Amino acid sequence: DKGGLQAQSADGKYSFKLGGRVHADATYSNDDKFLDSKGNPSEANDGTYIRRARMRFDGVFDKDWFYRTEADFADDSVAMKDIFIEYRGWNWGTITVGQQKQNFSRELQESSNDLMFMERSLMDVLNTDTVDRAIGLNYQTKGKGLISSNDAWVAKLGIYGDSIKPSRTGTEPENDYAGDEGWAVSSRLTYNPILEKDKLIHLGVAGNYRTPDDTGDVAESKALRYRYRTTNNQSNLTVLDSHDIKDVDNFKMLGLEGAGMYGPFSAGGEYTHTWIERKDGSEDLSFDGWYAEAAWSITGESRSYKEGNFGYLKPKNKFSLKNGHWGAWELATRWSEVNLNDREFRGGQMSQLTVALNWYINENVRFMADYNRNFNFSNPAVTTVGGGDPDALDTFMMRGQVAF
Amino acid sequence: DKGGLQAQSADGKYSFKLGGRVHADATYSNDDKFLDSKGNPSEANDGTYIRRARMRFDGVFDKDWFYRTEADFADDSVAMKDIFIEYRGWNWGTITVGQQKQNFSRELQESSNDLMFMERSLMDVLNTDTVDRAIGLNYQTKGKGLISSNDAWVAKLGIYGDSIKPSRTGTEPENDYAGDEGWAVSSRLTYNPILEKDKLIHLGVAGNYRTPDDTGDVAESKALRYRYRTTNNQSNLTVLDSHDIKDVDNFKMLGLEGAGMYGPFSAGGEYTHTWIERKDGSEDLSFDGWYAEAAWSITGESRSYKEGNFGYLKPKNKFSLKNGHWGAWELATRWSEVNLNDREFRGGQMSQLTVALNWYINENVRFMADYNRNFNFSNPAVTTVGGGDPDALDTFMMRGQVAF
Amino acid sequence: DKGGLQAQSADGKYSFKLGGRVHADATYSNDDKFLDSKGNPSEANDGTYIRRARMRFDGVFDKDWFYRTEADFADDSVAMKDIFIEYRGWNWGTITVGQQKQNFSRELQESSNDLMFMERSLMDVLNTDTVDRAIGLNYQTKGKGLISSNDAWVAKLGIYGDSIKPSRTGTEPENDYAGDEGWAVSSRLTYNPILEKDKLIHLGVAGNYRTPDDTGDVAESKALRYRYRTTNNQSNLTVLDSHDIKDVDNFKMLGLEGAGMYGPFSAGGEYTHTWIERKDGSEDLSFDGWYAEAAWSITGESRSYKEGNFGYLKPKNKFSLKNGHWGAWELATRWSEVNLNDREFRGGQMSQLTVALNWYINENVRFMADYNRNFNFSNPAVTTVGGGDPDALDTFMMRGQVAF
């Protein structure tokens, strides 16, 4: 991408790139006075925040070795994102070592710089704490012409430990019992029967298996917990909460993906199912979630797509007052649901409708406006002030974004 | 500035710059054994510290879009500073979105790389927690030739939410009630009846209005509090302390500025007045502070100045043993006061005299030595070991600075 | 080094460099179920972790002024490393101001990017909290031809306050009594009777004296404490622990170094002795530690060496599948011991045997495999589940490293 700082050695074998992103948000919620599960007043936070502020170092060494380290500093704290080394000198595929996203869900794989909506869907409640970044070893390979000359596929398989965080407890550990790390295997396969610049069909399937920390005769350091907070980082309003799910022996996840694009129009969806196997007499659990989305590039552009994931909408004409160009405009809508209820277990269930209007100034700057309606509540984590389930929670959000 | 890492695209529409700063300090205080308000021994910390250690990414995208993100890592923690996007493609002014300094006080606007003194004045006690950086939307415009062909003005107007920090409470929030963010409007207008390279007059006026977080029937997350700690980050000795000021409905601030420069001589001052309106029967409060400063560039340089703020003193001849050049030397003095007493309210009052000797090696390296005398105490936050107000507290500080 | 991002001004007086490193590790310990000193189950953590993730800014301003700031973000927190300004324009030596390593121990001075073993030796238990980085002023000078035309020496002398951390207690200090900082002097002298590219003898001696924080009639903020945790950051298993050593008046340290290299073979060792003088009737203490190591570059390279420290092993032929080159391979072994027992004082004692196999892909990428056997325990911080000292603890570690 133009605009980031890039440098290359004369022989082309070494290169380097600095990247970064800023997502500056404002949010407002309507009729948001609730009581939390302890009966305390609870409210979605209205105001401004920095959703992401990242710096990234990228590089290629001796042609075959790629490297990335990216840190997020929003909220005045550090959250390391990608930290990996990748070997690209082998014909049969790419090997990646370090912290990286696990192989699951198109929505999760796509960069927050590129997504059409300010936040991921309700389905992501099942994915964000289970198949997001972890430290591991991944193998990726891809091909063309499997069936016809116009198709393509990508296959990934990885084995993972945990992410950076869970291995430490407290800042002054002194024989804190941390136990051994758990491990996971995940795989994602995508296939495009049709793959052209302005026309494509995307199909995908992914699976994940994880065994949590070895617990022995000592409790696990961190129980599994699924939650939905309105407008993730900003608001403290937890609308859905499974609370701690203990005695987890392992869990399995299945993901299904489908999408299509025809010129400026696109539609797609995903489904995630999670099976949690528990021990010591605790009941097994089964949750699921899904979303369906549709988008229209008002100014006529087709979305970019690469190896199983959609990318940034590049405007045909960059915004310019002088030249009378208005960049690209995009209208998108999404319906998503998540269900954390299973027989007697009441983690809650809800639906969300999102409508988004996006303005792509150029390849680096974008403005977004999102409207979210959360509703169809069953066993949510909040009640109305008078008692009883809320009817709906409406949130309006805006974002200014720079990325390179 | 020469020395930072800069790159530009061939067509000049894209550019990028890496910046950074290190301020490495040592400090020593004399006769500094006191008792704090609880009667515990209290002392200004003598020793070494890193006052600032920052990395910055700057960039221009497609000519009109400027971007900045800067993080401070001193004290082994993250403090995000500027994080904003700026549109400069419009003839009638500049629009800035993101975290940025609010429009108040020349001393606050000027970079810590450029200030003649190692720390801001006592007046800054009123400004640092109220009109420093916040997330918001700012509009800036400027002009020349308002009255004669030799004058200039700059006008700024912004609306702000809060800064990064206050919106979160704790690291594992679970329906913590955060309430909605407050908001503020601030504006600063500066005017130069005379504006030449070595001769100028600076006049300024600024206003700020802020309503703190909406509290509803729940207490505010953070009360207003004014404090002065000797040599800000290093010493834990809080000499002046208003303690928590609760029930704040809103506060208003007025700032007045004046300065003049004639060749190597300059003088200036500022005044800040704060009116706090309170509710629930709490008494309204009114505080003020000011400083006056004078400086002489011994080696003859004039200070740089741009759009309402003074900048770095660029040496005529960079320091060089070989060429027998000694860089630039500057002598500066400042008197400042702050008064947090209002009728029965006893937040304390004090004066400070500062003398500074600065050595500008080149455009990137500077060494500073400051002597501070704090005195004229009335209701300070410390007492002498024998009881009673301290007579004076003398602090000597030195700094090595690199900035680019 | 090739590969990092570098830029230079046309006149060569200004330059800039971005650096970074990633150390991604996995570790596994055998028979590691113990009880800690409170009788709680305790275990070495098996799993993956990011040992180091750093970003660095380096620069030269006006030819004579060097600058560096480096931050580590592993574990989702900030740890500032080098932050200093260096004046190189003087013929008689170099002056460095800021946070830097103190002058002690070759093993400590050598970069973690270059060391032959994944972690420093048991001897480092005595050094890591006492002579690692601190804020101070250092003077360095060097020469050649002291005795013959083929020898060389380096001398360093520095005075130091504390490192970044100890000066703060808590995040919301309010007249916390921090006391004044302690100070230290350290000096290291190395001499090479023989110094050729593939043949050298290294001799070194270092001394350190430190007086901890002034305590007056108030307790010190941080007691001296020596500990060994298996595979430093990853595992919480503290195998050796002196616990808090209070009433320290001062401590003195002596370090002795010797090493030799002949073509692809090298051997070396170090010894550290610490004398702790205590007051208020507490007994003085005396500890020591040492290591001896030997290495063989299987592919024939000689190790690099510069001014008292060994560097990275640069492969004769970079790894390349196409050209049939396999990079450099290195086999190394180390025996190390530390003794924290002194008369009645029982801090513990142990030995460690390390065997390492390293694969140097090119100047930027390296893979490491280490086997550690900890044994010869006397008064360790853990016991077996049945009671009694452990026999041995075996740990196997692997690392993928990128550095530039």
Side-chain angles (χ1 to χ4, degrees):
Chain A
D1 333 50
K2 245 172 146 178
L5 182 61
Q6 305 186 42
Q8 208 166 359
S9 67
D11 61 5
K13 287 187 167 181
Y14 289 80
S15 67
F16 198 84
K17 186 174 180 308
L18 274 181
R21 72 182 73 173
V22 166
H23 297 177
D25 292 10
T27 188
Y28 172 77
S29 290
N30 201 27
D31 282 339
D32 59 342
K33 307 271 185 195
F34 300 114
L35 302 178
D36 66 17
S37 51
K38 290 164 191 156
N40 296 320
S42 190
E43 181 181 19
N45 186 275
D46 295 351
T48 58
Y49 60 115
I50 302 296
R51 180 66 171 91
R52 292 179 183 90
R54 297 192 186 169
M55 296 182 174
R56 190 179 66 219
F57 286 22
D58 267 1
V60 175
F61 301 106
D62 197 30
K63 200 165 148 275
D64 293 335
W65 299 88
F66 177 78
Y67 146 93
R68 170 171 292 174
T69 185
E70 181 168 28
D72 194 315
F73 300 119
D75 263 319
D76 282 359
S77 60
V78 183
M80 292 306 295
K81 301 297 171 181
D82 288 339
I83 320 179
F84 59 72
I85 311 169
E86 200 166 272
Y87 181 60
R88 297 175 171 180
W90 199 37
N91 284 334
W92 295 278
T94 297
I95 295 167
T96 309
V97 176
Q99 176 156 290
Q100 54 192 302
K101 283 180 183 172
Q102 297 172 69
N103 304 305
F104 202 87
S105 175
R106 174 172 68 81
E107 181 192 38
L108 189 69
Q109 304 300 319
E110 290 172 0
S111 164
S112 61
N113 287 330
D114 302 340
L115 289 168
M116 298 187 295
F117 304 95
M118 283 177 62
E119 300 294 342
R120 293 187 171 87
S121 74
L122 280 185
M123 185 191 82
D124 195 53
V125 166
L126 294 171
N127 297 342
T128 192
D129 288 332
T130 52
V131 284
D132 204 342
R133 288 182 181 82
I135 303 171
L137 181 78
N138 205 39
Y139 170 73
Q140 169 176 357
T141 185
K142 61 187 175 185
K144 277 188 169 286
L146 193 69
I147 292 169
S148 73
S149 64
N150 196 25
D151 62 356
W153 56 273
V154 181
K156 299 183 180 194
L157 177 67
I159 179 162
Y160 293 90
D162 272 335
S163 67
I164 281 182
K165 278 198 170 142
S167 70
R168 307 291 298 273
T169 52
T171 56
E172 182 57 39
E174 178 195 345
N175 274 342
D176 306 50
Y177 185 86
D180 296 338
E181 271 184 44
W183 60 275
V185 199
S186 64
S187 181
R188 182 175 176 237
L189 179 70
T190 59
Y191 175 61
N192 304 107
I194 299 174
L195 181 58
E196 300 176 21
K197 278 243 154 182
D198 57 355
K199 199 161 60 179
L200 70 84
I201 291 178
H202 163 99
L203 300 171
V205 60
N208 175 61
Y209 171 88
R210 177 171 283 276
T211 295
D213 297 9
D214 168 30
T215 53
D217 32 2
V218 187
E220 287 173 305
S221 60
K222 195 190 167 189
L224 197 58
R225 182 175 182 182
Y226 298 106
R227 266 184 289 189
Y228 177 72
R229 296 192 200 116
T230 57
T231 61
N232 290 342
N233 274 14
Q234 158 70 349
S235 163
N236 291 315
L237 189 68
T238 301
V239 179
L240 221 60
D241 193 343
S242 75
H243 296 99
D244 284 357
I245 299 174
K246 293 180 178 162
D247 305 319
V248 174
D249 184 76
N250 69 73
F251 58 86
K252 296 170 205 74
M253 297 170 65
L254 172 71
L256 299 175
E257 314 171 13
M261 186 178 78
Y262 189 84
F265 301 99
S266 69
E270 289 192 70
Y271 173 78
T272 294
H273 200 112
T274 299
W275 295 269
I276 302 168
E277 209 165 303
R278 298 204 292 172
K279 53 196 173 190
D280 300 333
S282 293
E283 217 172 32
D284 293 354
L285 296 170
S286 160
F287 303 142
D288 63 0
W290 62 272
Y291 73 84
E293 67 189 10
W296 170 41
S297 303
I298 304 171
T299 41
E301 289 87 352
S302 289
R303 298 168 70 187
S304 65
Y305 177 93
K306 198 183 167 193
E307 298 176 9
N309 302 315
F310 283 98
Y312 194 81
L313 186 72
K314 286 177 192 159
K316 241 182 295 184
N317 297 298
K318 295 174 188 171
F319 169 76
S320 164
L321 277 185
K322 201 180 290 174
N323 303 330
H325 292 151
W326 287 94
W329 287 82
E330 179 182 58
L331 193 64
T333 184
R334 180 181 65 194
W335 182 286
S336 69
E337 296 198 0
V338 64
N339 183 359
L340 304 175
N341 291 334
D342 184 24
R343 285 160 299 171
E344 294 80 56
F345 186 89
R346 306 276 93 185
Q349 180 176 5
M350 64 182 278
S351 305
Q352 186 181 65
L353 173 70
T354 308
V355 179
L357 180 65
N358 301 322
W359 180 21
Y360 296 79
I361 298 287
N362 51 44
E363 294 186 28
N364 302 105
V365 182
R366 169 169 82 159
F367 293 93
M368 309 175 82
D370 273 29
Y371 162 79
N372 269 313
R373 162 156 279 216
N374 300 297
F375 61 127
N376 278 352
F377 294 108
S378 150
N379 308 98
V382 292
T383 60
T384 61
V385 177
D389 288 355
D391 191 46
L393 171 62
D394 296 312
T395 300
F396 184 73
M397 304 187 279
M398 293 197 305
R399 172 172 297 170
Q401 169 182 320
V402 165
F404 53 92
Chain B
D1 331 49
K2 244 172 147 177
L5 181 61
Q6 305 186 40
Q8 209 168 0
S9 66
D11 61 4
K13 287 188 169 180
Y14 289 80
S15 67
F16 199 82
K17 187 174 179 306
L18 275 181
R21 71 181 74 172
V22 166
H23 297 178
D25 291 10
T27 188
Y28 172 77
S29 289
N30 202 26
D31 283 338
D32 58 344
K33 307 270 187 195
F34 300 114
L35 303 178
D36 67 16
S37 51
K38 291 164 191 155
N40 296 320
S42 189
E43 183 181 17
N45 186 275
D46 295 351
T48 58
Y49 60 115
I50 302 296
R51 180 67 171 90
R52 292 180 183 90
R54 298 193 187 168
M55 296 183 176
R56 190 181 64 220
F57 285 22
D58 266 1
V60 175
F61 300 107
D62 198 28
K63 200 163 149 275
D64 293 335
W65 299 86
F66 177 78
Y67 147 93
R68 170 171 292 174
T69 183
E70 180 167 29
D72 194 315
F73 299 119
D75 263 318
D76 281 359
S77 60
V78 183
M80 293 307 294
K81 301 297 170 181
D82 288 339
I83 320 177
F84 59 72
I85 311 168
E86 201 166 88
Y87 181 60
R88 297 176 172 178
W90 197 37
N91 285 334
W92 295 278
T94 297
I95 295 168
T96 310
V97 176
Q99 178 158 288
Q100 53 191 305
K101 283 180 183 171
Q102 296 172 68
N103 304 305
F104 202 88
S105 175
R106 174 171 69 81
E107 182 192 37
L108 189 70
Q109 303 302 318
E110 290 172 0
S111 164
S112 60
N113 287 331
D114 301 340
L115 288 168
M116 298 187 295
F117 304 95
M118 283 176 61
E119 299 294 344
R120 291 186 172 87
S121 74
L122 280 185
M123 185 190 81
D124 195 53
V125 166
L126 295 171
N127 297 341
T128 192
D129 288 332
T130 51
V131 283
D132 205 342
R133 288 181 182 82
I135 303 170
L137 182 77
N138 204 39
Y139 170 73
Q140 169 176 357
T141 185
K142 61 188 175 183
K144 278 188 169 286
L146 193 69
I147 291 169
S148 73
S149 64
N150 197 25
D151 61 357
W153 56 274
V154 181
K156 298 182 180 194
L157 176 67
I159 179 161
Y160 293 91
D162 272 335
S163 68
I164 282 182
K165 277 194 169 144
S167 69
R168 307 289 299 272
T169 53
T171 56
E172 181 58 36
E174 180 195 342
N175 274 340
D176 307 50
Y177 184 88
D180 295 337
E181 272 184 45
W183 59 274
V185 198
S186 64
S187 180
R188 182 174 176 239
L189 179 69
T190 59
Y191 175 61
N192 304 107
I194 299 174
L195 181 58
E196 299 175 22
K197 279 241 155 184
D198 58 354
K199 200 161 61 178
L200 70 83
I201 291 177
H202 163 99
L203 300 171
V205 58
N208 176 59
Y209 171 88
R210 177 171 282 276
T211 295
D213 297 8
D214 168 30
T215 52
D217 33 1
V218 186
E220 286 174 305
S221 60
K222 196 190 168 189
L224 198 58
R225 182 175 180 182
Y226 299 105
R227 268 185 288 188
Y228 178 72
R229 297 191 199 117
T230 58
T231 61
N232 290 343
N233 274 13
Q234 158 70 349
S235 163
N236 291 314
L237 189 67
T238 301
V239 180
L240 220 60
D241 193 343
S242 75
H243 297 98
D244 284 356
I245 299 175
K246 292 179 181 163
D247 306 319
V248 175
D249 183 75
N250 69 75
F251 57 86
K252 296 170 205 77
M253 297 170 64
L254 172 71
L256 299 175
E257 313 171 13
M261 185 178 79
Y262 189 85
F265 301 98
S266 68
E270 290 192 70
Y271 173 78
T272 294
H273 200 112
T274 299
W275 295 269
I276 303 167
E277 208 165 304
R278 299 206 289 174
K279 52 197 172 188
D280 299 334
S282 293
E283 218 174 30
D284 293 353
L285 294 170
S286 158
F287 303 142
D288 63 0
W290 61 272
Y291 73 83
E293 67 189 9
W296 171 39
S297 303
I298 303 171
T299 41
E301 290 87 352
S302 288
R303 299 169 69 189
S304 65
Y305 178 91
K306 198 183 166 195
E307 298 177 9
N309 303 314
F310 283 97
Y312 194 81
L313 186 71
K314 287 177 191 159
K316 242 183 291 184
N317 297 298
K318 295 174 189 172
F319 169 77
S320 165
L321 277 184
K322 199 180 293 172
N323 303 332
H325 291 152
W326 287 93
W329 287 82
E330 178 182 60
L331 193 64
T333 186
R334 179 181 66 196
W335 182 286
S336 69
E337 297 198 2
V338 64
N339 184 359
L340 304 175
N341 292 334
D342 184 23
R343 283 159 298 170
E344 294 80 56
F345 187 88
R346 306 276 93 184
Q349 179 176 5
M350 65 183 277
S351 304
Q352 185 182 64
L353 173 70
T354 308
V355 180
L357 180 66
N358 301 322
W359 181 20
Y360 296 79
I361 299 288
N362 51 44
E363 293 186 31
N364 302 106
V365 182
R366 168 169 84 159
F367 293 95
M368 307 176 81
D370 272 28
Y371 162 79
N372 268 314
R373 162 155 280 218
N374 300 296
F375 61 127
N376 278 352
F377 294 107
S378 150
N379 309 98
V382 293
T383 60
T384 62
V385 177
D389 287 356
D391 192 44
L393 171 63
D394 296 312
T395 301
F396 184 74
M397 306 186 277
M398 293 198 304
R399 171 171 298 170
Q401 169 182 319
V402 165
F404 53 94
Chain C
D1 332 49
K2 244 172 147 179
L5 182 61
Q6 305 185 41
Q8 208 167 1
S9 66
D11 61 4
K13 287 187 167 181
Y14 289 80
S15 67
F16 199 84
K17 188 174 178 306
L18 274 182
R21 71 181 72 172
V22 166
H23 296 179
D25 291 10
T27 189
Y28 171 78
S29 290
N30 202 27
D31 282 339
D32 59 342
K33 306 270 186 196
F34 300 115
L35 301 178
D36 67 17
S37 50
K38 291 164 190 156
N40 296 320
S42 191
E43 183 182 16
N45 186 275
D46 294 352
T48 58
Y49 60 114
I50 301 297
R51 180 67 171 90
R52 292 178 184 91
R54 297 193 187 167
M55 296 181 176
R56 191 180 64 219
F57 286 21
D58 267 1
V60 175
F61 300 106
D62 198 30
K63 200 163 148 274
D64 294 335
W65 299 88
F66 177 78
Y67 146 92
R68 171 172 291 175
T69 185
E70 182 168 28
D72 194 315
F73 300 118
D75 263 319
D76 282 358
S77 60
V78 183
M80 292 306 295
K81 302 295 171 182
D82 289 339
I83 320 178
F84 59 72
I85 311 168
E86 201 166 88
Y87 181 61
R88 298 174 171 180
W90 197 37
N91 285 335
W92 295 279
T94 297
I95 295 167
T96 310
V97 176
Q99 178 157 287
Q100 53 191 305
K101 283 180 183 172
Q102 296 172 69
N103 304 305
F104 202 87
S105 176
R106 173 170 69 81
E107 181 192 39
L108 189 69
Q109 303 301 318
E110 290 172 1
S111 164
S112 61
N113 287 331
D114 301 341
L115 290 167
M116 298 187 295
F117 304 95
M118 283 177 61
E119 299 294 341
R120 292 187 172 86
S121 74
L122 279 185
M123 186 190 81
D124 196 53
V125 166
L126 295 171
N127 297 342
T128 191
D129 287 332
T130 53
V131 283
D132 204 341
R133 288 182 182 83
I135 302 170
L137 181 77
N138 204 40
Y139 171 73
Q140 169 175 356
T141 184
K142 63 188 173 182
K144 279 188 169 286
L146 193 69
I147 293 169
S148 74
S149 64
N150 196 24
D151 62 355
W153 56 272
V154 181
K156 298 182 181 195
L157 177 66
I159 178 160
Y160 293 90
D162 274 333
S163 66
I164 281 181
K165 276 197 174 140
S167 70
R168 306 290 299 272
T169 53
T171 54
E172 181 58 38
E174 178 194 345
N175 274 341
D176 307 49
Y177 184 87
D180 295 338
E181 271 185 44
W183 60 274
V185 199
S186 64
S187 181
R188 182 174 176 238
L189 179 70
T190 60
Y191 175 61
N192 304 105
I194 299 173
L195 181 58
E196 300 175 22
K197 278 240 153 185
D198 57 354
K199 200 162 60 178
L200 69 84
I201 291 177
H202 162 100
L203 300 171
V205 59
N208 176 59
Y209 171 87
R210 177 171 283 278
T211 296
D213 297 10
D214 168 30
T215 52
D217 33 0
V218 186
E220 285 173 306
S221 60
K222 195 190 167 189
L224 198 57
R225 182 175 182 182
Y226 299 106
R227 266 183 291 188
Y228 178 72
R229 295 190 201 118
T230 58
T231 60
N232 289 344
N233 274 13
Q234 157 71 347
S235 163
N236 291 314
L237 189 68
T238 300
V239 179
L240 222 60
D241 193 343
S242 75
H243 295 100
D244 285 356
I245 299 174
K246 293 182 179 160
D247 304 320
V248 175
D249 184 75
N250 69 73
F251 57 86
K252 297 170 204 72
M253 298 170 65
L254 173 71
L256 299 174
E257 313 170 14
M261 184 178 79
Y262 188 83
F265 301 99
S266 68
E270 290 192 70
Y271 173 79
T272 294
H273 199 112
T274 299
W275 295 267
I276 302 167
E277 208 165 302
R278 297 205 291 174
K279 53 196 173 188
D280 300 334
S282 294
E283 219 173 31
D284 293 353
L285 296 170
S286 161
F287 303 141
D288 64 0
W290 61 272
Y291 73 85
E293 67 189 8
W296 171 39
S297 305
I298 303 170
T299 41
E301 289 87 350
S302 289
R303 298 169 70 190
S304 66
Y305 177 92
K306 198 182 165 193
E307 298 175 10
N309 303 314
F310 283 97
Y312 194 81
L313 186 72
K314 286 177 191 159
K316 241 183 295 185
N317 297 298
K318 295 174 189 172
F319 169 78
S320 164
L321 276 184
K322 200 179 293 174
N323 304 330
H325 291 151
W326 287 94
W329 287 81
E330 178 182 59
L331 193 64
T333 185
R334 180 182 65 195
W335 182 286
S336 69
E337 296 197 2
V338 64
N339 183 357
L340 304 176
N341 291 335
D342 184 24
R343 285 161 297 171
E344 295 80 56
F345 187 89
R346 305 277 93 183
Q349 180 176 6
M350 65 182 279
S351 304
Q352 186 182 65
L353 173 70
T354 308
V355 179
L357 180 66
N358 301 321
W359 181 20
Y360 296 78
I361 297 288
N362 51 44
E363 294 186 30
N364 302 105
V365 182
R366 169 169 83 157
F367 293 95
M368 309 177 80
D370 273 28
Y371 162 78
N372 269 312
R373 162 155 280 217
N374 301 297
F375 61 127
N376 279 350
F377 294 107
S378 150
N379 308 101
V382 293
T383 61
T384 62
V385 177
D389 287 354
D391 192 44
L393 171 62
D394 296 313
T395 301
F396 184 73
M397 304 186 278
M398 293 197 306
R399 171 171 298 170
Q401 169 182 317
V402 165
F404 53 92

